[in-house]
Amino acid sequence: RGASDLRHHADAVAFGGGNLALVSADWDLVNPAWCRVRVAATVGRSTRTVDGWFEGGGAIALEASDWNGNNNSVNSLTVANLTVGGPGRVLVVGVTVDTAAGSSVQSVTYAGQDLVFQRRAGNDPLTELWMLVNPPVGTGNVVVTLNGSDQIVAGALVFTGVDLTTPADVTPLPATTGNSNTASITIT
């Protein structure tokens, strides 16, 4: 069961001359595939607390996605009302800017928190990836701000079940060249 399911069953259970109670059950923030369960047993005036770690699956899944774009020259763009909440969550935002006017991405935020720049490709158009590990639970806006005004499109993806200590592959992507109607790349 999930940690939230276990929390609802925290009533003490009598066994002989003592009680057994579930104190807490929470997903590990570092490794969301694990759940820590704490149980307290009381006999007379003595209480012993025991922690157990249980693996809970941890398959990476897409929790939410949305996008927005503007063909006019703007200096910011909002992807509105993105909802996040699952364990081991990571928000990845891809931004493409038509840099004809010389603009570049100044910042990307979600619910007021700064995302961290990850990678850049090209220069006109310019494409960048930004990431926020463990974004706050709830619904918020992704806001992309440029240092000038240009055409822009942004897409936001929220993944759950991600290893939060090393959420992204740090291997550099291979260089791309040429022109094509269909672009693809294989990544791990």
Side-chain angles (χ1 to χ4, degrees), residues 26-170:
D26 296 296
W27 292 110
D28 182 19
L29 295 177
V30 175
N31 186 349
W34 289 87
C35 176
R36 183 184 81 174
V37 177
R38 177 169 281 175
V39 177
T42 304
V43 177
R45 296 185 318 209
S46 298
T47 299
R48 175 148 327 219
T49 302
V50 178
D51 286 327
W53 291 92
F54 301 93
E55 189 169 4
I60 295 175
L62 179 63
E63 179 179 52
S65 65
D66 205 351
W67 71 278
N68 193 7
N70 198 318
N71 287 329
N72 299 315
S73 287
V74 296
N75 65 355
S76 70
L77 181 76
T78 299
V79 179
N81 301 319
L82 190 68
T83 301
V84 301
R89 58 195 173 275
V90 171
L91 169 61
V92 178
V93 175
V95 181
T96 299
V97 180
D98 176 11
T99 57
S103 297
S104 62
V105 179
Q106 182 176 336
S107 67
V108 180
T109 62
Y110 170 74
Q113 291 191 10
D114 291 328
L115 276 73
V116 177
F117 169 78
Q118 299 296 308
R119 298 200 167 133
R120 172 179 296 119
N123 52 23
D124 189 14
L126 169 70
T127 300
E128 294 183 350
L129 285 179
W130 294 70
M131 184 169 59
L132 178 59
V133 176
N134 205 20
V137 172
T139 300
N141 294 336
V142 172
V143 179
V144 179
T145 304
L146 303 179
N147 65 357
S149 294
D150 252 311
Q151 296 175 5
I152 182 174
V153 64
L157 302 167
V158 179
F159 296 97
T160 60
V162 177
D163 178 352
L164 298 182
T165 57
T166 54
D169 184 352
V170 295

Side-chain angles (χ1 to χ4, degrees), residues 1-11 22 25:
R1 273 193 209 192
S4 60
D5 294 330
L6 291 172
R7 238 182 256 121
H8 296 296
H9 300 284
D11 300 328
L22 175 66

